[in-house]
Amino acid sequence: MSINKPIPDHPNQGKVLSVRGSVIDAEFDKHLPAINNILHTGPQNRIIVEVLSHLDIGRVRGIALTPASGLQRGAPIIDTNETLKVPVGKGILSRMFNVFGLPIDNLPPVLNAKQRSIYRDPPPLSRRSTKSEIFETGIKAIDMLVPLERGGKAGLFGGAGVGKTVLLTELINNVVGRHEGVSIFCGIGERSREGEELYREMKKTGVLSNTVMVFGQMNELPGARFRVAHSALTMAEYFRDDERQDVLLLIDNIFRFIQAGSEVSGLLGQMPSRLGYQPTMSTELSQVEERIANTDTGAITSIQAVYVPADDFTDPAAIHTFSHLSASIVLSRKRASEGLFPAIDPLQSGSNLLTPGIVGERHYRLAQESRRTLAEYEELKDIIAMLGMEELSTRDRNTVLRARRLERFLTQPFYTTELFTGLPGKNVSLAETLDGCERILQDDFQSYPESALYMIGNIDEAKKMTLEAPESEITADSAVTAGK
């Protein structure tokens, strides 16, 4: 909805009763505005308020979506009799919008775009597809151990600074080239700097032409941040249902959606629930997540960054988000500190699709064997730290060598970090990833130094890395191998 939208000739007009920060109470004599209706008030009707509750037969309580500074008691307030609307259509591609569907990229407004309400019901069960398909990303650790589902929801869990936004940006870069469809990036509580850098990077790499960006920035009111996910979903549903295209919806960060809801709940004076979260958190999250689905016309595949407060996975926000996901990618601070990027924890991450009936017998077997090898290595780390490799049995030593090579093979240089690392980005197919893991598990690369497998694409690049590795490292690694 445009902020300057003309008001109807015979509006339902009331008056402002109280202003408490972003919370505004209003009284209407004719009839009460419906829940989620948009009200206009203030100078030139520029202050936008959304109705959140009915207090009695004549009063409503709403939350301001734009700054309410200067608003006074007794000011006229007008019911538009409409909910918040955003533009949809092919004209929104390559553009950046705010929660109201207004361009924020300093380009002209979108012409001839349809306006559609941001509140829509999830697709009925009769329209949902029951077929499970793999959504290939070109990132080895994800495709191998945490396969994503077309039309599914995947979560990127991690604390601050472990690489969630970098991984999301890389996924946009890989998926636009690999899948025919549209990408929609929804930034909830994003820093303005991050949004500007992402826009510039996508424009530079040529993926912006098939992308829509929607931002509720960190400096905006909680009401605007709380609704921006609905705005992005409405745009995604248009491409899925009307244009019959597959959509990749990236949300950064779904925790900030919950956080904005908590702020709105506190402003409204609701009794907080566990750890101070809003009592309606489960319902609010479900209203967003259930609209992301695979239907008979197309699929919305969602990858959501989830900030985990204090790295505590028992936090209510993390638990409620987990329940909606078909795949959970957990980013480990320990692996990030060891330089193993992407810092995906293979033992905590998981996917519902990793079954023989969906991914195939070979993929399932290799993934399980890789997990088992990495889990055994994790158990042996304490013994190695106290007694050294020499005290391990021959079998355990072989397990450690395989696990360390697997860990390094599953690292990968990204296109989006080329500027910082100096390493050219790699996009690796699932077949190449499976082949590499299988050959490592069969000890084909036991004589190769671990560094040869670090930050490469397919496994054949290890031979080139071996030629370039320092002789001292090869000798040391060979000595460990020979010691078994």
Side-chain angles (χ1 to χ4, degrees):
M1 168 172 291
S2 170
I3 291 179
N4 297 314
K5 181 180 176 70
I7 304 300
D9 294 333
H10 303 288
N12 178 26
Q13 184 168 314
K15 66 177 180 178
V16 174
L17 292 178
S18 66
V19 181
R20 299 187 305 280
S22 298
V23 179
I24 294 164
D25 290 355
E27 184 177 44
F28 288 84
D29 296 327
K30 288 185 179 180
H31 58 84
L32 276 184
I35 299 292
N36 295 330
N37 267 17
I38 291 297
L39 313 178
H40 284 249
T41 186
Q44 300 179 351
N45 293 316
R46 285 183 175 273
I47 297 174
I48 300 179
V49 180
E50 184 180 38
V51 177
L52 291 187
S53 65
H54 293 159
L55 300 178
D56 55 35
I57 58 171
R59 294 185 302 147
V60 297
R61 177 165 290 167
I63 190 88
L65 305 182
T66 55
S69 55
L71 185 62
Q72 301 175 350
R73 291 174 60 187
I77 187 165
I78 298 167
D79 175 21
T80 63
N81 202 30
E82 288 184 341
T83 59
L84 199 59
K85 292 184 177 181
V86 292
V88 295
K90 289 188 175 181
I92 67 173
L93 289 172
S94 78
R95 300 299 302 274
M96 186 191 291
F97 300 95
N98 63 12
V99 67
F100 305 105
L102 299 176
I104 54 173
D105 50 9
N106 294 324
L107 294 174
V110 179
L111 300 175
N112 303 321
K114 304 175 190 172
Q115 295 287 323
R116 188 171 284 182
S117 171
I118 68 169
Y119 299 106
R120 296 168 63 82
D121 293 328
L125 289 174
S126 58
R127 283 194 55 215
R128 297 195 180 216
S129 172
T130 56
K131 185 180 178 183
S132 293
E133 297 177 52
I134 298 293
F135 186 83
E136 202 171 320
T137 64
I139 297 173
K140 291 183 286 189
I142 293 177
D143 290 341
M144 174 68 182
L145 300 171
V146 201
L148 306 186
E149 180 183 12
R150 177 180 174 268
K153 297 178 277 283
L156 278 176
F157 290 84
V162 293
K164 295 186 299 298
T165 304
V166 170
L167 196 51
L168 279 183
T169 312
E170 183 71 8
L171 282 164
I172 293 175
N173 183 81
N174 288 6
V175 168
V176 167
R178 189 179 286 264
H179 298 269
E180 290 184 7
V182 173
S183 294
I184 293 182
F185 184 92
C186 176
I188 306 175
E190 279 282 276
R191 298 171 185 87
S192 301
R193 170 187 58 78
E194 290 179 342
E196 191 273 336
E197 285 175 358
L198 182 63
Y199 178 80
R200 192 159 21 91
E201 184 66 33
M202 291 173 72
K203 196 171 184 179
K204 181 181 173 184
T205 54
V207 300
L208 190 62
S209 58
N210 283 318
T211 304
V212 183
M213 305 179 78
V214 191
F215 284 97
Q217 298 171 73
M218 192 175 276
N219 62 319
E220 294 185 38
L221 296 177
R225 285 182 273 124
F226 189 45
R227 294 307 185 206
V228 72
H230 293 277
S231 299
L233 268 167
T234 301
M235 295 175 180
E237 286 168 340
Y238 167 81
F239 287 105
R240 180 193 65 190
D241 300 335
D242 295 41
E243 299 291 338
R244 295 177 173 265
Q245 290 182 288
D246 283 357
V247 182
L248 176 66
L249 174 65
L250 299 122
I251 301 176
D252 188 8
N253 185 304
I254 199 68
F255 172 78
R256 292 207 177 99
F257 166 79
I258 295 171
Q259 199 174 40
S262 181
E263 291 177 53
V264 170
S265 176
L267 287 168
L268 294 176
Q270 294 177 346
M271 182 71 72
S273 182
R274 192 155 65 100
L275 294 186
Y277 286 106
Q278 64 270 39
T280 52
M281 176 172 64
S282 178
T283 305
E284 291 163 0
L285 189 60
S286 298
Q287 286 171 348
V288 169
E289 299 286 5
E290 290 304 305
R291 290 171 66 179
I292 301 168
N294 187 358
T295 70
D296 49 9
T297 56
I300 299 177
T301 303
S302 176
I303 301 171
Q304 308 167 13
V306 186
Y307 168 70
V308 181
D311 291 344
D312 178 16
F313 284 90
T314 63
D315 189 90
I319 290 171
H320 279 280
T321 307
F322 261 121
S323 64
H324 291 279
L325 305 175
S326 57
S328 301
I329 303 168
V330 178
L331 299 179
S332 160
R333 194 175 302 281
K334 183 171 178 289
R335 292 178 71 83
S337 67
E338 293 171 358
L340 299 173
F341 292 104
I344 296 170
D345 189 325
L347 303 180
Q348 288 196 64
S349 304
S351 170
N352 297 343
L353 267 68
L354 200 57
T355 62
I358 297 174
V359 299
E361 194 68 47
R362 178 175 177 243
H363 185 167
Y364 175 75
R365 175 179 55 79
L366 289 172
Q368 292 300 97
E369 195 174 339
S370 299
R371 279 185 196 278
R372 186 165 56 250
T373 302
L374 292 167
E376 288 177 11
Y377 174 45
E378 197 64 33
E379 292 172 1
L380 292 168
K381 278 183 177 177
D382 288 341
I383 298 173
I384 296 169
M386 289 186 292
L387 304 175
M389 284 279 286
E390 294 76 15
E391 298 302 315
L392 298 179
S393 66
T394 302
R395 179 188 174 280
D396 286 347
R397 219 174 299 174
N398 283 334
T399 298
V400 170
L401 292 171
R402 283 188 212 109
R404 288 180 63 85
R405 282 162 175 75
L406 268 176
E407 281 185 336
R408 279 145 186 78
F409 176 63
L410 291 175
T411 61
Q412 189 168 342
F414 284 170
Y415 291 99
T416 50
T417 57
E418 283 182 11
L419 184 65
F420 309 105
T421 63
L423 298 171
K426 307 285 184 181
N427 191 321
V428 186
S429 69
L430 176 59
E432 290 174 324
T433 302
L434 293 177
D435 181 56
C437 290
E438 187 170 46
R439 290 171 70 183
I440 290 170
L441 291 169
Q442 290 172 351
D443 293 334
D444 288 1
F445 288 83
Q446 203 170 51
S447 60
Y448 284 67
E450 292 170 3
S451 60
L453 298 163
Y454 179 68
M455 285 294 174
I456 62 171
N458 61 50
I459 196 71
D460 293 327
E461 293 180 28
K463 296 173 183 176
K464 181 184 175 185
M465 295 294 291
T466 304
L467 296 174
E468 299 172 358
E471 188 177 340
S472 59
E473 188 173 345
I474 296 174
T475 306
D477 230 32
S478 301
V480 173
T481 308
K484 71 185 190 317

